[in-house]
């Protein structure tokens, strides 16, 4: 699963999402571009609710890399 943050997303929003996902046992690969940040989530994300991740105002989009 990949989370793409909006340009200029607050660090506290990204930290909160990271902490929540790591607490659930996922590894996060963070990619910092010039204007945006992307989290690559490693682990079985089939049980993750994409809509719960999209609720955060800092998130631009959430995409599954592999369908469950």
């Amino acid at each position: 699963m990949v989370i793409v943050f909006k340009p200029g997303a607050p660090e506290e929003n990204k930290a909160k999402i990271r902490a929540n996902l790591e607490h659930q046992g996922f590894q996060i690969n963070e990619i910092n571009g010039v204007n945006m940040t992307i989290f690559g989530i490693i682990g079985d994300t089939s049980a993750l609710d994409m809509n719960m991740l999209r609720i955060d105002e800092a998130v631009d989009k959430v995409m599954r890399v592999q369908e469950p």
Side-chain angles (χ1 to χ4, degrees), residues 33-56:
V34 175
N35 294 319
M36 70 177 66
T37 300
I38 298 172
F39 281 1
I41 305 169
I42 300 170
D44 182 7
T45 60
S46 61
L48 274 180
D49 184 356
M50 293 172 59
N51 292 321
M52 292 305 292
L53 294 169
R54 288 183 182 123
I55 288 174
D56 193 290

Side-chain angles (χ1 to χ4, degrees), residues 11-44:
E11 289 299 322
E12 51 272 4
N13 291 55
K14 293 186 277 188
K16 182 175 128 183
I17 291 172
R18 174 190 281 277
N20 183 7
L21 291 168
E22 287 177 339
H23 178 73
Q24 294 180 58
F26 297 104
Q27 290 181 337
I28 309 298
N29 281 344
E30 183 172 340
I31 302 164
N32 292 300
V34 175
N35 294 319
M36 70 177 66
T37 300
I38 298 172
F39 281 1
I41 305 169
I42 300 170
D44 182 7

